[in-house]
Amino acid sequence: MLVEIRDTIAILSFNRPDKRNAINDALLEELRTFFAKPPKGVRAVVLQGLGGHFSAGLDLSEQSRREPEQVLYHSRSWHSVMEAMQFGGLPIVSVLTGAVMGGGLEIAAATHVRVSEPSAMFQLPEGKRGIFVGGGATVRVGRIIGPDRMTEMMLTGRRYDAQDGLRLGLSHYLVEPGEGLARALELAAEIASNATLVNYLIIQAISRIDDMSRADGLFAESLSAALSQSGADALEGLNAFLEKRKPRFG
Ligand code: 1HE
């Protein structure tokens, strides 16, 4: 995986184009290492796949016959990386091109803002490979498109195109061919200019509140508001608005 730091943005690029950026264990570990300790000063991440495909999912060539226990650990190791991505505190903008399949879609679903190009194809082909999903799709993809649609998607192995992906929320933006990275960088810069604590709360609180009862969720929202509205950044945001200028957060 290539890592390039541009100012406050880290650009991560899957770089196995001849394997359609299939995710082998080594690549998964590179993601884990990056998100376990992101370089200082990085405020947002852009994640893309080189060679026209985001990722064709799990590297099937590494999947020899496995015992249930090994599959359990393997799936849990995907889960821990996806959790680190979704809840690590760094906003991630993904650029979705070509195959966004299986584990590729699971990774995309752990990113916070998804920009697709017209080449994007969304699929969960696991059922066709004789396996179930194991990288978090039931929770993340299921929440985006709903469990009913995910059931149908897996049973039939259907492929959604970029327009469908946009309509269903698998991507948030659909841009012209070749413009995904530029749009993702613009969005990442916009996000990076927010207050760090507010980005952190957006990432942590909204998804967790979804797991809570209504009453607990409302209380968690108030606590998040209390945390965010008492510091220097809240004062700066207010002053900048009143002085008709762009805020400068610490
Ligand atoms: C791969 C993989 C892969 C391609 N693992 N090697 N994912 C899938 O079931 C998707 C499988 N891949 C495909 O359906 C197609 O490759 C694509 C639609 C993505 C691209 O098609 P195409 O015609 O551009 O390329 P290709 O000729 O099929 O593939 C080019 C090479 O990449 C070829 O290797 P080569 O050595 O013969 O050149 C392919 O074998 C290789 N390749 N995809 C390994 N996935 C946490 S659990 C998650 C579970 C899953 O993700 S299961 C779903 C896996």
PDB file of all heavy atoms in Angstrom, residues 34 73 77 96 138 145 181:
ATOM      1  N   PHE A  34      -1.199   1.333   9.728  1.00  0.00           N
ATOM      2  CA  PHE A  34      -1.426   2.765   9.496  1.00  0.00           C
ATOM      3  C   PHE A  34      -2.440   3.316  10.496  1.00  0.00           C
ATOM      4  O   PHE A  34      -2.208   4.338  11.139  1.00  0.00           O
ATOM      5  CB  PHE A  34      -1.915   3.034   8.057  1.00  0.00           C
ATOM      6  CG  PHE A  34      -2.144   4.502   7.842  1.00  0.00           C
ATOM      7  CD1 PHE A  34      -1.111   5.313   7.402  1.00  0.00           C
ATOM      8  CD2 PHE A  34      -3.376   5.083   8.127  1.00  0.00           C
ATOM      9  CE1 PHE A  34      -1.305   6.687   7.266  1.00  0.00           C
ATOM     10  CE2 PHE A  34      -3.580   6.449   7.986  1.00  0.00           C
ATOM     11  CZ  PHE A  34      -2.543   7.251   7.547  1.00  0.00           C
ATOM     12  N   TYR A  73     -10.707 -16.543  13.615  1.00  0.00           N
ATOM     13  CA  TYR A  73      -9.654 -15.564  13.913  1.00  0.00           C
ATOM     14  C   TYR A  73      -9.438 -14.628  12.722  1.00  0.00           C
ATOM     15  O   TYR A  73      -9.195 -13.435  12.893  1.00  0.00           O
ATOM     16  CB  TYR A  73      -8.339 -16.268  14.278  1.00  0.00           C
ATOM     17  CG  TYR A  73      -8.408 -17.032  15.588  1.00  0.00           C
ATOM     18  CD1 TYR A  73      -7.776 -18.258  15.732  1.00  0.00           C
ATOM     19  CD2 TYR A  73      -9.113 -16.517  16.676  1.00  0.00           C
ATOM     20  CE1 TYR A  73      -7.845 -18.968  16.927  1.00  0.00           C
ATOM     21  CE2 TYR A  73      -9.189 -17.219  17.883  1.00  0.00           C
ATOM     22  CZ  TYR A  73      -8.560 -18.440  17.995  1.00  0.00           C
ATOM     23  OH  TYR A  73      -8.621 -19.129  19.172  1.00  0.00           O
ATOM     24  N   SER A  77      -9.918 -10.694  12.731  1.00  0.00           N
ATOM     25  CA  SER A  77      -8.811  -9.776  12.438  1.00  0.00           C
ATOM     26  C   SER A  77      -9.258  -8.726  11.416  1.00  0.00           C
ATOM     27  O   SER A  77      -8.871  -7.568  11.511  1.00  0.00           O
ATOM     28  CB  SER A  77      -7.555 -10.543  12.007  1.00  0.00           C
ATOM     29  OG  SER A  77      -7.535 -10.734  10.616  1.00  0.00           O
ATOM     30  N   LEU A  96     -14.081   5.183  -5.063  1.00  0.00           N
ATOM     31  CA  LEU A  96     -14.548   3.857  -5.476  1.00  0.00           C
ATOM     32  C   LEU A  96     -14.597   3.767  -7.002  1.00  0.00           C
ATOM     33  O   LEU A  96     -15.384   4.461  -7.657  1.00  0.00           O
ATOM     34  CB  LEU A  96     -15.922   3.585  -4.856  1.00  0.00           C
ATOM     35  CG  LEU A  96     -15.958   3.753  -3.327  1.00  0.00           C
ATOM     36  CD1 LEU A  96     -17.354   3.490  -2.780  1.00  0.00           C
ATOM     37  CD2 LEU A  96     -14.929   2.856  -2.648  1.00  0.00           C
ATOM     38  N   THR A 138     -22.349  -7.621   7.297  1.00  0.00           N
ATOM     39  CA  THR A 138     -23.713  -7.740   7.828  1.00  0.00           C
ATOM     40  C   THR A 138     -24.065  -6.509   8.648  1.00  0.00           C
ATOM     41  O   THR A 138     -25.216  -6.067   8.647  1.00  0.00           O
ATOM     42  CB  THR A 138     -23.878  -8.992   8.723  1.00  0.00           C
ATOM     43  OG1 THR A 138     -22.845  -8.987   9.701  1.00  0.00           O
ATOM     44  CG2 THR A 138     -23.815 -10.272   7.921  1.00  0.00           C
ATOM     45  N   ILE A 145     -27.641  -0.318   3.222  1.00  0.00           N
ATOM     46  CA  ILE A 145     -28.700  -0.627   2.238  1.00  0.00           C
ATOM     47  C   ILE A 145     -29.883  -1.353   2.869  1.00  0.00           C
ATOM     48  O   ILE A 145     -30.903  -1.559   2.211  1.00  0.00           O
ATOM     49  CB  ILE A 145     -28.146  -1.443   1.041  1.00  0.00           C
ATOM     50  CG1 ILE A 145     -27.658  -2.834   1.478  1.00  0.00           C
ATOM     51  CG2 ILE A 145     -27.038  -0.687   0.326  1.00  0.00           C
ATOM     52  CD1 ILE A 145     -27.224  -3.713   0.295  1.00  0.00           C
ATOM     53  N   LEU A 181     -10.364  11.069  -7.356  1.00  0.00           N
ATOM     54  CA  LEU A 181      -9.321  11.445  -6.391  1.00  0.00           C
ATOM     55  C   LEU A 181      -9.382  12.946  -6.103  1.00  0.00           C
ATOM     56  O   LEU A 181      -9.306  13.366  -4.941  1.00  0.00           O
ATOM     57  CB  LEU A 181      -7.933  11.046  -6.914  1.00  0.00           C
ATOM     58  CG  LEU A 181      -6.769  11.440  -6.007  1.00  0.00           C
ATOM     59  CD1 LEU A 181      -6.887  10.766  -4.629  1.00  0.00           C
ATOM     60  CD2 LEU A 181      -5.417  11.088  -6.644  1.00  0.00           C
TER      61      LEU A 181
END
